């Protein structure tokens, strides 16, 4: 339970950091706002055609009598909308980080600098980091799609599908959000996706404490824009916990021999 509280604490510390650094907070909202506009347009168009999509997907129910047709397709409409929202919440952060990669990396570096000690650097070019980010975003999208299909199917279970499954979906969403947001700080430390997942699974409650409240807040579209810079800052502070760093971290020269140096050698 201590990790659960600590995770929420890092989320709050990140927001406070962003509030104290107004310039970083302001610029950090620009990529999030651009992404939000695109997502809003896509979701409005999708929800506008939801009834037609459901009718097209269930032609076998066309001859059902009332009220069963309305109940069946109404339930599917709710599940479809919830699945789209689930996908939007999960992928919003990944797309925003990809759009604002150079800035959010600089923001993360500034958080490390403000905490004292070394500021890790992967040594990769911006194009290499963008390529890694794109690959990992695609991998995330595949995983998210599989989870969405699973939750969509489980949503048909009476009782459980309307209570336990949504709660479980928020936990999964929160974990994915933490994974996405910590990716910038961990990649700067030379820690790639497979190892990042292992680290976060070893501190699952820490990841959930950070990500689940954020997932709930991200349901409010404009809130996601305002919280994004602080979320990146908080994720960087969380990473310092995961990697065992503190204010008396090793000097910069020693960092080159650590994970980032290993990544440079591998590349």
């Amino acid at each position: 339970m201590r990790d659960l509280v600590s995770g929420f604490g890092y989320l709050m510390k990140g927001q406070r950091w962003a509030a104290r650094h107004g310039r970083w907070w302001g610029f950090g909202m620009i990529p999030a706002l651009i992404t939000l506009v695109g997502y809003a347009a896509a979701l409005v168009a999708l929800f506008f055609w939801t009834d037609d999509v459901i009718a097209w997907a269930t032609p076998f129910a066309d001859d059902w009598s009332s009220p069963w047709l309305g109940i069946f397709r109404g339930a599917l409409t709710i599940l479809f909308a919830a699945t789209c929202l689930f996908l939007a919440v999960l992928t919003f952060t990944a797309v925003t980080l990809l759009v604002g990669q150079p800035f959010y990396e600089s923001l993360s570096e500034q958080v490390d600098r403000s905490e004292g000690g070394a500021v890790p650097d992967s040594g990769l070019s911006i194009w290499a980091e963008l390529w890694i980010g794109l690959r990992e975003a695609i991998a995330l999208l595949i995983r998210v799609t599989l989870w969405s299909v699973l939750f969509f199917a489980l949503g048909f279970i009476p009782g459980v599908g309307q209570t336990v499954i949504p709660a479980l979906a928020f936990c999964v969403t929160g974990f994915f959000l933490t994974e996405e947001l910590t990716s910038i700080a961990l990649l700067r430390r030379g820690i790639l996706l497979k190892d990042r997942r292992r680290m976060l699974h070893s501190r699952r409650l820490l990841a959930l404490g950070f990500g689940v409240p954020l997932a709930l807040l991200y349901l409010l579209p404009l809130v996601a824009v305002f919280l994004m810079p602080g979320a990146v800052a908080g994720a960087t502070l969380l990473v310092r916990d995961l990697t065992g760093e503190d204010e008396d971290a090793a000097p910069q020269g020693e960092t080159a021999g650590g994970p980032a140096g290993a990544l440079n050698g591998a590349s």
Side-chain angles (χ1 to χ4, degrees), residues 11-262:
L11 178 59
M12 293 298 97
K13 289 177 183 177
Q15 299 306 321
R16 287 197 295 269
W17 188 94
R20 292 196 306 268
H21 298 77
R23 183 172 66 89
W24 290 101
W25 179 67
F27 281 109
M29 289 193 293
I30 295 175
L33 187 59
I34 293 171
T35 306
L36 176 65
V37 171
Y39 268 66
L43 287 174
V44 167
L46 185 61
F47 290 156
F48 183 78
W49 295 102
T50 293
D51 290 342
D52 293 331
V53 171
I54 296 299
W56 170 81
T58 58
F60 56 86
D62 287 342
D63 298 328
W64 289 13
S65 60
S66 180
W68 305 114
L69 176 61
I71 292 174
F72 175 68
R73 285 183 172 168
L76 284 182
T77 298
I78 293 173
L79 285 173
F80 181 72
T83 301
C84 290
L85 191 59
F86 174 75
L87 282 168
V89 170
L90 279 174
T91 58
F92 175 84
T93 300
V95 173
T96 302
L97 291 176
L98 195 60
V99 170
Q101 169 75 22
F103 170 80
Y104 289 126
E105 182 170 345
S106 296
L107 188 153
S108 179
E109 289 177 357
Q110 185 63 30
V111 173
D112 274 325
R113 192 170 292 112
S114 68
E115 290 297 301
V119 179
D121 183 2
S122 68
L124 298 173
S125 68
I126 183 61
W127 297 111
E129 290 185 350
L130 284 172
W131 173 242
I132 292 174
L134 179 60
R135 280 193 340 226
E136 293 181 350
I138 293 172
L140 174 71
L141 181 60
I142 293 172
R143 293 166 62 205
V144 166
T145 301
L146 293 176
W147 277 102
S148 298
V149 171
L150 176 61
F151 287 137
F152 185 81
L154 293 176
F156 288 100
I157 302 175
V160 175
Q162 293 73 46
T163 53
V164 176
I165 300 306
L168 182 59
F170 270 112
C171 289
V172 172
T173 302
F175 188 87
F176 277 141
L177 282 177
T178 304
E179 181 181 309
E180 294 165 32
L181 287 163
T182 55
S183 64
I184 290 180
L186 286 171
L187 181 58
R188 285 196 298 106
R189 288 157 169 80
I191 302 173
L192 298 180
L193 184 58
K194 183 178 179 180
D195 293 325
R196 295 204 299 266
R197 289 177 185 168
R198 183 163 53 245
M199 291 177 70
L200 289 173
H201 277 290
S202 70
R203 302 284 297 280
R204 191 174 286 107
L205 288 179
L206 184 69
L208 292 176
F210 183 88
V212 172
L214 196 60
L216 291 170
L217 291 169
Y218 271 18
L219 291 176
L220 305 172
L222 285 177
V223 172
V225 173
F226 287 110
L227 294 184
M228 190 65 189
V232 174
T236 302
L237 295 173
L238 186 148
V239 164
R240 294 176 66 87
D241 185 341
L242 281 175
T243 57
E245 298 170 34
D246 54 29
E247 294 184 358
D248 297 320
Q252 183 71 33
E254 295 181 22
T255 306

Side-chain angles (χ1 to χ4, degrees), residues 1-8 202-207 209 241:
M1 294 304 296
R2 185 180 304 166
D3 264 359
L4 197 64
V5 175
S6 295
F8 181 71
S202 70
R203 302 284 297 280
R204 191 174 286 107
L205 288 179
L206 184 69
D241 185 341

